[in-house]
Amino acid sequence: STQKSNDGGAGRIFAGFTSTCGLGVEGGAALYHDLDWLITTRFESGAVSNIRMIAHTYAIDFVARGAWRPCGWLTLVGKAGIAYVNTRFSFTGGIREHTHAFRPVLAAGLSVPIWLCFSAEVTYSHIFWSGDLHRFHHTPSLDGIFAGIVYRP
């Protein structure tokens, strides 16, 4: 049996440029919460084996950004690009594995002005997974909801 703990926080910092027509680019770095698995195997002899696996993950992304303002106070945001995902696995007994890959990323969100050149932005982001989960050589799919303050001069 497998027990997985994958709820937790993440953080992302980004910088970019959006033109007056709503198109732009953005680069960012995100640090995700640790994923923690407990894998229990019961053998016919009655013996039990427990293996704990923890995955530490960060991502660096570069995306194209599109923004559309349907009304004066709301901007809808869409992003698509590529992310470099780096995951370090730690297992019971001190065994360590490392994997990294470039993965596609999609994001969508909204932005509202709060004061002068500042806006509050909330974005949902998804980085697609790759690899073989059963061999522990994969980069996990990553989902995050990120909120922040955006400065637009």
Side-chain angles (χ1 to χ4, degrees), residues 44-55:
E44 290 180 13
S45 66
V48 176
S49 170
N50 289 314
I51 297 174
R52 184 171 184 205
M53 180 180 75
I54 301 171

Side-chain angles (χ1 to χ4, degrees), residues 39-100:
I39 303 164
T40 302
T41 305
R42 298 185 192 286
F43 298 96
E44 290 180 13
S45 66
V48 176
S49 170
N50 289 314
I51 297 174
R52 184 171 184 205
M53 180 180 75
I54 301 171
H56 312 277
T57 303
Y58 72 86
I60 299 169
D61 60 65
F62 184 74
V63 296
R65 174 186 171 97
W68 176 60
R69 182 174 285 177
C71 59
W73 58 272
L74 176 69
T75 302
L76 301 177
V77 177
K79 303 174 187 180
I82 193 91
Y84 170 77
V85 180
N86 187 308
T87 304
R88 191 177 73 247
F89 295 98
S90 302
F91 298 91
T92 302
I95 299 169
R96 298 191 188 284
E97 289 283 333
H98 176 256
T99 185
H100 54 94

Side-chain angles (χ1 to χ4, degrees), residues 80-148:
I82 193 91
Y84 170 77
V85 180
N86 187 308
T87 304
R88 191 177 73 247
F89 295 98
S90 302
F91 298 91
T92 302
I95 299 169
R96 298 191 188 284
E97 289 283 333
H98 176 256
T99 185
H100 54 94
F102 286 95
R103 306 301 314 141
V105 59
L106 292 175
L110 55 92
S111 177
V112 294
I114 54 175
W115 183 65
L116 297 175
C117 297
F118 294 93
S119 297
E121 184 173 300
V122 176
T123 305
Y124 168 78
S125 174
H126 178 78
I127 299 175
F128 295 86
W129 78 282
S130 120
D132 184 354
L133 178 62
H134 302 290
R135 296 186 66 226
F136 301 111
H137 292 287
H138 73 288
T139 54
S141 63
L142 300 167
D143 295 296
I145 297 174
F146 300 103

